[in-house]
Amino acid sequence: MSENQEWLGLMIGNSRLHFGYFAGAILQKTWDSEYLQQKEIKSHINQEKAIEKSLKSILKTKNINFNHGMPLLIASVVPEQTALWQTYTRFDMITLDKLSLQGLYPTLGIDRALAVLGAGTNLGWPILVIDSGTAMTFTGGDVQKKIVGGAILPGLRLQLSSLARGTAMLPLIEIPLELPPRWSKQTATAIQSGIIYTILAGMKNYVVSWLEEFPNSQIVLTGGDRSILLSHFTTLFPELGATFINAPDVIFWGMARVWQQIFNPTK
């Protein structure tokens, strides 16, 4: 493995595939893709070639040439998709034991751990990472690169969709681009108000609590809904929101750190 070798990082998330294309430890490009269809892959006699064909097709849309045997580092929170990608010729799984972090525990999601590792490595410790994806998570690490702990709740879109699925009369509502009125006389905006303001208040509560314990910490926001939440949060809490770092690639920063340790363990 050369120092500048091209390789791919794949984070299999709760809703989508997240890809990073690297040259050595330098992230070149990122994108998201839909899950592989299990029936389509498993219907092939040679699943290895089916995966290569799918990967080649994905890379072609990003103007990246597929090289046979291109290394693929995989982190996953979805076992069914993991099993499909493990038929690829040259893959390596990123597991908790490969991360240079302390305080890890068996049920900690690899996505959360990689995000903290990446953010702390690139931005400094202590660090608090707020991931606004399918699930919204808060995960903190201290100056010893030790996981302090965190919290998990349904993400913004999941909260909106759960009301529509779990009730007879409430509609599925889009995420508002502007803050809705706090006190609404319409059902749609009442749903937006209840979810948005509760999430923003919760974010503030966790951030303030963290900063009381780690006043020199950076606060990082990542995940698919980070931009809209950052906009709304900054509208309500401008001073605190101005300190947030919008960092969509922290998981891939963590993968780059893992790759460095594989290539050069002394770094």
Side-chain angles (χ1 to χ4, degrees), residues 103-163:
L104 298 169
Y105 53 93
T107 59
L108 177 64
I110 191 66
D111 51 345
R112 296 174 63 194
L114 278 170
V116 170
L117 175 63
T121 299
N122 284 34
L123 302 173
W125 306 87
I127 197 80
L128 175 65
V129 176
I130 305 172
D131 189 338
S132 55
T134 304
M136 188 169 190
T137 63
F138 300 80
T139 316
D142 64 17
V143 292
Q144 282 78 41
K145 302 181 183 180
K146 180 180 179 180
I147 296 293
V148 175
I152 304 173
L153 68 152
L156 179 56
R157 295 175 192 274
L158 188 56
Q159 291 196 40
L160 290 168
S161 63
S162 68
L163 276 178

Side-chain angles (χ1 to χ4, degrees), residues 23-208:
I26 307 301
L27 181 63
Q28 305 291 320
K29 184 181 292 188
T30 66
W31 68 93
D32 297 331
S33 181
E34 298 300 318
Y35 282 164
L36 295 180
Q37 297 299 312
Q38 294 190 44
K39 290 183 179 179
E40 182 177 334
I41 298 298
K42 291 184 177 180
S43 65
H44 286 73
I45 296 176
N46 190 325
Q47 292 188 28
E48 177 185 315
K49 288 187 177 180
I51 285 290
E52 286 197 1
K53 181 179 178 181
S54 296
L55 186 56
K56 184 177 181 179
S57 177
I58 291 170
L59 293 179
K60 185 177 181 180
T61 65
K62 303 302 173 182
N63 297 316
I64 299 173
N65 292 324
F66 173 75
N67 298 319
H68 181 75
M70 179 183 287
L72 177 68
L73 265 62
I74 304 172
S76 177
V77 296
V78 183
E80 294 81 3
Q81 284 288 307
T82 307
L84 297 179
W85 284 98
Q86 285 177 326
T87 61
Y88 180 70
T89 308
R90 194 176 178 189
F91 82 93
D92 192 6
M93 286 300 301
I94 302 177
T95 50
L96 291 176
D97 60 296
K98 295 180 181 178
L99 306 188
S100 54
L101 291 171
Q102 301 181 55
L104 298 169
Y105 53 93
T107 59
L108 177 64
I110 191 66
D111 51 345
R112 296 174 63 194
L114 278 170
V116 170
L117 175 63
T121 299
N122 284 34
L123 302 173
W125 306 87
I127 197 80
L128 175 65
V129 176
I130 305 172
D131 189 338
S132 55
T134 304
M136 188 169 190
T137 63
F138 300 80
T139 316
D142 64 17
V143 292
Q144 282 78 41
K145 302 181 183 180
K146 180 180 179 180
I147 296 293
V148 175
I152 304 173
L153 68 152
L156 179 56
R157 295 175 192 274
L158 188 56
Q159 291 196 40
L160 290 168
S161 63
S162 68
L163 276 178
R165 290 196 309 268
T167 63
M169 299 295 291
L170 296 180
L172 178 61
I173 303 301
E174 295 294 325
I175 297 174
L177 298 179
E178 303 291 336
L179 273 175
R182 189 180 293 269
W183 307 105
S184 175
K185 292 185 178 180
Q186 295 182 348
T187 297
T189 50
I191 293 171
Q192 291 174 337
S193 173
I195 291 175
I196 291 290
Y197 285 102
T198 299
I199 285 180
L200 297 177
M203 287 173 61
K204 181 185 178 183
N205 179 275
Y206 274 95
V207 170
V208 169

